Amino acid sequence: MKKIIVNGSKKLKGTIRISGAKNAAVAIIPAAILADEEATICNVPEISDIESLEEILTYLNVDVKRATESIVINTINMENKVIPTEISNKLRASYYFMGALLAKYKYVEMYFPGGCKIGSRPINLHLKGFQALGATVEEDGDKYIIKAEKLKGANIYLDVASVGATINLMLAATKAEGTTTIENAAREPEIVNVATFLNNMGAKIVGAGTSIIKIKGVDKLTKGFTEIIPDRIEAGTYTIMGALLGDNLKITNIIPEHIEALTSKLKEAGADIVIEDDTIICNAVDKLNAVNIKTYYFPGFPTDLQQPFSTFLTQCSGKSKIEETIYENRFMHVEYLNKMGANITTKDRIATINGKTPLKGESVTATDLRAGAALIIAGLIAEGETVIKEVEHILRGYEGIIEKLTNVGASIKLEEIPCKN
Ligand code: EPU
């Protein structure tokens, strides 16, 4: 068990370079098993979710070579086996092995995936989509047995524009007979990254990034190469820190269009952020004003930045409102922000933040990944020492967060919590 200790109220000055996107990398790595040859993936972040995927690949007898920032995957000796639940429940993205193994072997046995407990997070749309492609799905407790004689292209309408279901069905349809159309597909940039990779290996996918994706099945995928896009949620998290504490803080390697929903809200609140090509320059200001946000599918305000943004709103004068429309349980960090001095009330999916309130260092718990990010931001602006427990959640998704923040002047460290017995 580890904890993070932050001593707050320090200005942030210098440059933070954004790493590869977690939610693209965790889909592209399972996608790589579709080829019968080698795939090279660059700009892969060093986070524990990637280590968990490597563990799954190794278990399936896939050859994995990890170098700094890149990973080479070779499936020549791969075997189709039931991934033990202790490995698959370490992360949400293990569910991409359902689509990928189904496409490759027409048979997959897998357990319900893990991931942050921010809502019920069903996978019914993934399973319905596999069935539409001709597979049968048997449930045995929390294990699923998905099989097909052959997969056939189909028209699939997603009731909800789910990122996971869109990617999983793209994976399953890549080698199906005929054409699959996914309507009301999610439009997140990570989906474009996955589709580009699959096309590089020989798939025929058009429309990724729009709400209608067409996949013409192919027999075989070959050697692949891709580069992971910059992580828009990591970029957004540091931009929020910069808006609160920046002294000419530069966030580089960003795609500004991917975080426009955030930057427009920061500007509306009066933040001093300047966007130049792939860089955002942030300077703290004396006064910030309350704003309202409502989370939504891309290009709406990302739910993954809602928690970090709520910490920002504690420093804005007036009453701000957050409406969380994607997950029913994504306000678990509020209890801890209030413990630090915030004035936030929640009712159902709405949080009301009364600002501006000074924050003071406290002992808090990261209940999930983005809650952890919200608490690090709170620790950075608070007076005194903040101790954050259960930070394994944070390490799942933010590459080198301690080093990146230390390099720009933050006082932050990671420590082991000694075992009691
Ligand atoms: N949904 C269903 N049925 C399904 C699938 C989803 O009802 O079969 C609902 C969910 O309950 C939720 C909504 O659809 O209300 C969105 O779920 P989605 O499938 O898009 O989410 P996900 O694939 O489980 C990915 C990211 C999340 C991110 C969301 C939304 C990965 C591994 N996870 O989750 O990332 O919040 O998309 O953008 O890509 C994070 O990084 O902290 C994180 C939670």
Side-chain angles (χ1 to χ4, degrees):
M1 295 275 272
K2 294 186 172 77
K3 61 182 175 185
I4 286 178
I5 302 167
V6 190
N7 268 290
S9 309
K10 308 253 186 312
K11 283 272 191 258
L12 303 178
K13 191 182 171 75
T15 302
I16 294 177
R17 188 181 156 78
I18 297 306
S19 305
K22 167 179 92 77
N23 288 345
V26 296
I28 284 174
I29 290 171
I33 67 161
L34 283 174
D36 301 320
E37 298 177 35
E38 198 174 84
T40 303
I41 306 160
C42 292
N43 202 29
V44 178
E46 274 187 43
I47 49 175
S48 63
D49 267 9
I50 300 295
E51 285 165 21
S52 304
L53 289 176
E54 284 177 43
E55 206 180 328
I56 294 177
L57 290 173
T58 308
Y59 180 80
L60 298 174
N61 228 16
V62 174
D63 184 39
V64 183
K65 285 197 185 67
R66 184 78 156 106
T68 319
E69 292 200 352
S70 73
I71 186 165
V72 180
I73 292 168
N74 194 321
T75 59
I76 195 105
N77 297 315
M78 181 171 173
E79 288 171 66
N80 189 13
K81 295 192 279 184
V82 189
I83 302 162
T85 185
E86 309 81 73
I87 320 183
S88 60
N89 74 11
K90 284 188 185 171
L91 79 168
R92 181 80 183 155
S94 57
Y95 59 20
Y96 291 132
F97 282 97
M98 285 184 175
L101 290 170
L102 182 64
K104 196 174 173 93
Y105 297 106
K106 313 283 177 289
Y107 185 92
V108 46
E109 276 185 54
M110 254 203 80
Y111 290 89
F112 192 82
C116 293
K117 309 239 174 321
I118 49 184
S120 62
R121 308 186 79 180
I123 57 165
N124 58 315
L125 299 175
H126 305 230
L127 302 175
K128 255 171 76 179
F130 296 146
Q131 284 166 329
L133 294 172
T136 57
V137 178
E138 275 172 54
E139 284 186 45
D140 175 9
D142 62 349
K143 188 164 84 174
Y144 299 89
I145 303 161
I146 310 162
K147 56 186 170 192
E149 286 279 311
K150 64 177 177 188
L151 294 170
K152 278 195 79 175
N155 278 6
I156 302 169
Y157 179 87
L158 295 179
D159 298 338
V160 174
S162 151
V163 172
T166 301
I167 294 178
N168 234 341
L169 296 176
M170 242 167 42
L171 295 174
T174 293
K175 292 175 86 179
E177 241 175 52
T179 300
T180 298
T181 305
I182 307 174
E183 286 185 58
N184 195 31
R187 292 181 286 161
E188 271 70 0
E190 292 76 18
I191 290 160
V192 182
N193 206 178
V194 178
T196 308
F197 174 54
L198 289 169
N199 283 344
N200 177 272
M201 292 198 292
K204 292 200 162 23
I205 302 172
V206 293
T210 75
S211 49
I212 300 182
I213 301 179
K214 282 190 191 296
I215 305 129
K216 199 168 160 207
V218 295
D219 288 339
K220 202 171 156 44
L221 296 183
T222 52
K223 209 172 168 95
F225 173 84
T226 200
E227 185 166 338
I228 306 291
I229 55 171
D231 194 310
R232 63 196 166 95
I233 307 303
E234 189 199 14
T237 304
Y238 289 121
T239 304
I240 291 169
M241 293 177 187
L244 293 167
L245 291 160
D247 175 8
N248 211 22
L249 180 72
K250 292 190 178 72
I251 321 288
T252 65
N253 194 34
I254 57 147
I255 299 176
E257 295 74 25
H258 289 178
I259 52 167
E260 229 164 72
L262 170 74
T263 50
S264 70
K265 280 292 164 186
L266 287 172
K267 285 180 184 162
E268 187 185 326
D272 178 0
I273 53 165
V274 178
I275 302 168
E276 285 176 0
D277 302 325
D278 73 342
T279 300
I280 300 187
I281 302 151
C282 313
N283 279 291
V285 293
D286 289 338
K287 183 155 192 300
L288 293 160
N289 303 310
V291 292
N292 298 332
I293 59 158
K294 180 175 176 173
T295 62
Y296 208 63
Y297 307 101
F298 189 83
F301 194 98
T303 169
D304 297 342
L305 284 175
Q306 175 266 107
Q307 292 158 297
F309 196 70
S310 66
T311 307
F312 172 81
L313 292 177
T314 66
Q315 302 309 300
C316 297
S317 302
K319 188 184 280 189
S320 302
K321 267 197 186 351
I322 294 177
E323 192 180 344
E324 170 56 64
T325 72
I326 311 290
Y327 295 114
E328 62 274 21
N329 196 21
R330 222 173 193 183
F331 286 138
M332 284 186 288
H333 60 299
V334 163
E335 173 190 345
Y336 298 104
L337 289 181
N338 283 344
K339 189 175 176 195
M340 293 176 75
N343 178 353
I344 308 175
T345 53
T346 57
K347 191 168 184 294
D348 303 326
R349 292 192 178 204
I350 295 185
T352 306
I353 296 125
N354 293 291
K356 164 183 183 177
T357 48
L359 300 184
K360 59 177 184 350
E362 276 288 353
S363 173
V364 295
T365 302
T367 52
D368 56 83
L369 168 59
R370 311 299 171 189
L375 294 174
I376 289 188
I377 301 172
L380 290 171
I381 51 181
E383 203 154 312
E385 184 177 274
T386 299
V387 179
I388 309 172
K389 284 177 284 183
E390 296 189 24
V391 298
E392 283 72 14
H393 289 296
I394 304 174
L395 306 177
R396 281 186 39 216
Y398 287 91
E399 179 179 66
I401 188 161
I402 304 293
E403 295 76 15
K404 286 186 184 187
L405 286 172
T406 304
N407 286 343
V408 295
S411 169
I412 180 166
K413 59 186 176 187
L414 181 70
E415 278 185 7
E416 283 293 334
I417 302 178
C419 286
K420 286 222 172 83
N421 42 8

